[in-house]
Amino acid sequence: MSNDSIFKTFLVAFLLCIVCSVLVCLAAIVRIDREAYNKQLEIRKTVLAAAGFQQQIDDGGNIDELFTTNMQPKILDIATGEYTDAVDVATYNQKEAMENPELTVKIPADKDLAGMGSRAKYATVYLAENGDVILPIRGAGMWGPMYGYIAVANDGNTVKGMTFYQHAETPGLGAEVDNPKWKAQWPGKEIYAGDNVALKVVKNGAYDPKASDAANTIDGLAGATVTGTKVQGIIRYWFSDHGFGPFLAKLKAKRG
């Protein structure tokens, strides 16, 4: 067959299209896999930071190794405070669950201190080897939703660390929730006083280390009173009886 035949020209063009299509598909699959891995890596990094592993991360520690060695993900039924297998821990996405009415519950107006309107029925929590638990928190910030994690000791009351990984707070003001110096205040603070949520964020400069409630107080951010109030609302909701309160009560009871 002549190299100049129309059939051969079309055959070569067709085969070239097939090869290019396969290469494009393979590239897309690789990109999707890489994006999925990067998202997983960011979650693991954030959970580890909340749990007090920031120094190891800064020192170049392997995030995947630190996570698999120290953390165990579990699905929590928030209402009962019990672990559940109602959804798959390997695939459950709490943000995506908010798009499914069957996986959400409406928050009563008088309890909606975080300004969310509704929340997912289930949460992915992380159990550390030392008994600490890392809990996902979210709520309305000044300009948009805020997402973070807070680590609580196995006494169900003592904060071990806190970090926000997504927010739209004002740079230089509310965005200072990312400042390591501000986050350094959280470890050692107590969430409850008796059965009441007592942990609070006060206006910058109002914190008194000698006050009777110093163990429950976080000094706010300069010029960001609204953000501090929003963070306090998030804390007050998630540690209430409509949030992680039932789970932490059971954690305390197990410890005795």
Side-chain angles (χ1 to χ4, degrees), residues 105-176:
V105 295
K106 183 176 177 57
I107 302 172
D110 62 327
K111 295 181 180 292
D112 194 13
L113 303 176
M116 296 183 294
S118 61
R119 65 154 171 79
K121 290 181 179 179
Y122 309 112
T124 303
V125 304
Y126 300 89
L127 305 184
E129 282 293 303
N130 62 3
D132 295 348
V133 60
I134 296 83
L135 307 170
I137 55 175
R138 75 174 183 93
M142 184 172 182
W143 303 113
M146 303 178 72
Y147 295 89
Y149 287 97
I150 187 165
V152 181
N154 61 8
D155 63 2
N157 188 40
T158 305
V159 177
K160 299 297 289 290
M162 189 281 301
T163 189
F164 285 103
Y165 64 89
Q166 181 179 327
H167 62 80
E169 301 307 283
T170 307
L173 297 173
E176 288 295 294

Side-chain angles (χ1 to χ4, degrees), residues 207-245:
Y207 170 66
D208 179 2
K210 296 181 180 179
S212 60
D213 61 352
N216 309 112
T217 307
I218 301 292
D219 196 18
L221 297 163
T225 302
V226 173
T227 296
T229 300
K230 296 292 187 180
V231 172
Q232 178 170 322
I234 291 171
I235 295 299
R236 289 293 178 95
Y237 171 75
W238 282 107
F239 291 106
S240 73
D241 59 0
H242 204 264
F244 295 123

Side-chain angles (χ1 to χ4, degrees), residues 33-148:
D33 287 345
R34 172 55 60 178
E35 288 180 352
Y37 173 72
N38 286 340
K39 287 181 180 179
Q40 180 190 64
L41 192 67
E42 191 61 29
I43 290 173
R44 289 183 168 189
K45 182 178 178 180
T46 306
V47 169
L48 287 167
F53 288 86
Q54 187 62 57
Q55 189 59 56
Q56 289 93 319
I57 294 172
D58 293 342
D59 290 342
N62 184 287
I63 292 173
D64 286 327
E65 184 177 330
L66 284 170
F67 185 88
T68 55
T69 302
N70 295 283
M71 298 294 164
Q72 179 186 9
K74 303 273 282 186
I75 296 295
L76 179 72
D77 183 321
I78 298 174
T80 65
E82 298 283 356
Y83 297 125
T84 178
D85 58 2
V87 293
D88 184 4
V89 68
T91 59
Y92 179 68
N93 184 306
Q94 203 165 329
K95 286 186 180 181
E96 291 178 0
M98 291 302 300
E99 304 298 321
N100 184 345
E102 294 183 359
L103 294 176
T104 62
V105 295
K106 183 176 177 57
I107 302 172
D110 62 327
K111 295 181 180 292
D112 194 13
L113 303 176
M116 296 183 294
S118 61
R119 65 154 171 79
K121 290 181 179 179
Y122 309 112
T124 303
V125 304
Y126 300 89
L127 305 184
E129 282 293 303
N130 62 3
D132 295 348
V133 60
I134 296 83
L135 307 170
I137 55 175
R138 75 174 183 93
M142 184 172 182
W143 303 113
M146 303 178 72
Y147 295 89

